[in-house]
Amino acid sequence: MYSSTSQDPTAAAIRLSHQAELTEALADILQRQDLLIRLCKSLIRYGAPSHRIEMAMEAMCKTFGIDGSFAFMPGLMMISFGDSDTHTSETHLIKCAQGFDMGRLARVHKIARALVNGDLDPGEALATLKDINSEKPLYNTWVMLVSFVAYSGFIAPLIFKGSWNDMLASMALGAVVGLTNLLATRYSVYSSVFEVSTSILIAFVAKALRDYVCFTGVVLSAIVVLLPGLSLTTSIMELSSRYIISGSVRMFYSLIYCLFLGFGLSIGSNLWDAFKEPPPGDLRMGYCHPATEPWRWILFPLLGVALSIQLYASPKQWPVILICSSVGYGISELAGLYWPHTLHIAAAVSAFVVGLLGNIYERITHELAFVPILGSILLIVPGGMGVRSTLLLLDESGNASQGTAFALQMILVALGIAVGLFASTLVVYPRKCPVA
């Protein structure tokens, strides 16, 4: 009797201790899984490439000792956590639209790096992530609208070789694109026809101003923020990294998106021609006279600032974006002189130099290389893909070979950019890529 009564309190204490340990361990596991889900979703929302996200998440799973697997498709994130002891698994399907916010992406990247290196507690990281996700955008609606106007206007003489009249017309039409984009974000019904309706309106107005501006330069400058060159380049990078599903889906979407834009531009152009007979010969596309060369170097910093605002980059990120984009633009222009008929080579050389600068910047400062690289690639893509390829959609001959050349040109330029970026990463990180 004495033995049993003396052991009961001890056994109860042991059981309570085990229960407390199990509860604490379970709470810790759930907290880390919640952290991984929120971190993964934040990386997608703020614009990190999907093939780099999976590498970062796998590294953090190893750090936390969690059995997790991740799969991405545009707009959908699939996360599965397994338990080898109980032979059970838990799968999360999360719809998450991808956007761009370079300021918050850089802060999330620092959190991911600190977690992998063991410099940050998971609880503190989760609280910091919640604060970042709850913040308001860095720039309000009016600032973004002004950036639409500036970006469309300054890119006309710099990338699309437009005149001063083209720049002013592109600014006005860029404001229209910004307003319709704001309308599409607020009303989901209109978002389904946003691209086509905007392209029709832009092409109709630009064709009406054909006697004063260059039609093709103005319409492409006005809708430059809608061109899916970056999405196509990302799809090539995903396919090269063996992410077959997400790369194939993104590539197909990019090609169909280009057809949407070309369809709208063709309708708007032909709609004005139905009201007024088009002039013969070269005047069909308007008066195309490039602006004087020295002004391009003055306008480029303004274009870089407008691009930084479009990407929601913080002011401290503006200098590195401007430097890398200036170098990329200069290399692209110089390479275009030596390889005028092989744009994919010029794109590959420019992307390699930009990627080299971006990765060296990351290695020295431990900041995110994707921020300056993205700003530079966005300026390489329109000049190579927007002008030379989209013009084939506007051609009225209807030649099937031109449609084939359009698709091939887009893929080749995107492939050149992807190869250049991968080669630059291999040079700077020959053994192991950075975490995120």
Side-chain angles (χ1 to χ4, degrees):
M1 178 67 68
Y2 174 79
S3 176
S4 62
T5 55
S6 62
Q7 291 181 0
D8 284 342
T10 304
I14 293 175
R15 285 196 300 270
L16 289 176
S17 176
H18 287 170
Q19 290 178 358
E21 291 177 357
L22 289 175
T23 302
E24 183 178 358
L26 181 60
D28 183 62
I29 292 174
L30 292 177
Q31 182 189 60
R32 296 188 177 193
Q33 289 181 357
D34 186 22
L35 173 61
L36 289 174
I37 293 174
R38 189 176 291 272
L39 184 62
C40 188
K41 189 174 183 178
S42 299
L43 290 173
I44 296 176
R45 285 178 57 191
Y46 303 144
S50 58
H51 61 285
R52 295 288 294 273
I53 295 175
E54 187 163 339
M55 295 169 55
M57 302 308 296
E58 289 177 352
M60 278 181 280
C61 280
K62 292 181 181 178
T63 302
F64 293 158
I66 295 177
D67 183 14
S69 59
F70 305 86
F72 301 96
M73 292 181 65
L76 179 65
M77 175 176 63
M78 293 175 284
I79 302 178
S80 178
F81 297 111
D83 189 343
S84 58
D85 296 331
T86 60
H87 300 284
T88 58
S89 63
E90 182 182 5
T91 302
H92 301 265
L93 299 178
I94 303 174
K95 294 185 65 176
C96 183
Q98 188 170 12
F100 290 107
D101 193 325
M102 295 297 102
R104 285 194 273 192
L105 179 62
R107 295 164 61 186
V108 172
H109 170 262
K110 289 183 178 180
I111 293 175
R113 183 185 290 272
L115 286 171
V116 173
N117 295 333
D119 299 331
L120 186 63
D121 181 76
E124 297 178 0
L126 184 59
T128 306
L129 271 179
K130 290 181 179 179
D131 293 338
I132 294 175
N133 294 333
S134 62
E135 291 178 357
K136 293 182 179 180
L138 184 60
Y139 307 109
N140 58 32
T141 302
W142 293 107
V143 174
M144 294 303 299
L145 184 59
V146 172
S147 71
F148 268 96
V149 174
Y151 188 54
S152 298
F154 295 140
I155 208 169
L158 290 173
I159 303 297
F160 299 118
K161 316 302 180 186
S163 63
W164 302 121
N165 289 338
D166 297 340
M167 184 180 74
L168 294 177
S170 299
M171 283 184 172
L173 295 178
V176 174
V177 175
L179 291 173
T180 54
N181 180 67
L182 179 62
L183 188 64
T185 55
R186 294 191 176 183
Y187 301 98
S188 58
V189 177
Y190 176 69
S191 62
S192 302
V193 294
F194 161 63
E195 293 84 3
V196 175
S197 61
T198 303
S199 300
I200 292 174
L201 179 60
I202 295 300
F204 183 83
V205 176
K207 207 61 176 289
L209 300 175
R210 181 176 47 197
D211 295 338
Y212 309 99
V213 300
C214 180
F215 170 73
T216 53
V218 168
V219 295
L220 293 175
S221 300
I223 66 169
V224 66
V225 294
L226 304 180
L227 294 177
L230 180 63
S231 178
L232 184 61
T233 303
T234 304
S235 69
I236 295 292
M237 297 177 68
E238 290 174 346
L239 290 173
S240 302
S241 302
R242 306 299 187 270
Y243 294 90
I244 306 300
I245 297 178
S246 60
S248 301
V249 171
R250 201 184 297 272
M251 174 177 285
F252 183 76
Y253 170 77
S254 301
L255 295 177
I256 295 299
Y257 192 88
C258 285
L259 293 178
F260 267 110
L261 294 178
F263 178 73
L265 294 177
S266 299
I267 290 179
S269 175
N270 295 326
L271 189 61
W272 175 258
D273 290 339
F275 289 97
K276 185 177 181 181
E277 184 177 353
D282 296 335
L283 298 181
R284 182 181 296 273
M285 292 300 172
Y287 292 88
C288 301
H289 301 287
T292 55
E293 194 72 20
W295 286 100
R296 300 170 67 184
W297 303 105
I298 299 177
L299 295 177
F300 194 87
L302 301 176
L303 176 64
V305 172
L307 176 61
S308 300
I309 295 176
Q310 285 284 318
L311 298 176
Y312 287 94
S314 62
K316 68 178 183 179
Q317 294 173 322
W318 290 5
V320 65
I321 293 178
L322 184 58
I323 292 173
C324 285
S325 60
S326 300
V327 173
Y329 175 72
I331 296 295
S332 179
E333 291 290 307
L334 184 62
L337 297 177
Y338 289 95
W339 299 289
H341 303 294
T342 52
L343 294 176
H344 54 284
I345 297 179
V349 173
S350 181
F352 175 76
V353 175
V354 166
L356 204 62
L357 291 176
N359 285 299
I360 292 175
Y361 165 77
E362 180 175 10
R363 188 144 198 170
I364 295 175
T365 63
H366 301 292
E367 296 289 339
L368 188 59
F370 183 66
V371 174
I373 290 176
L374 177 62
S376 305
I377 293 303
L378 284 175
L379 294 181
I380 297 174
V381 167
M385 300 173 64
V387 174
R388 306 300 178 96
S389 300
T390 311
L391 285 179
L392 296 175
L393 285 177
L394 303 178
D395 194 273
E396 298 178 357
S397 63
N399 195 338
S401 62
Q402 290 187 341
T404 304
F406 161 72
L408 182 61
Q409 182 82 330
M410 290 188 65
I411 295 175
L412 284 178
V413 173
L415 183 60
I417 294 174
V419 170
L421 293 178
F422 278 127
S424 65
T425 304
L426 180 63
V427 171
V428 181
Y429 296 98
R431 294 184 178 181
K432 185 179 180 181
C433 292
V435 172

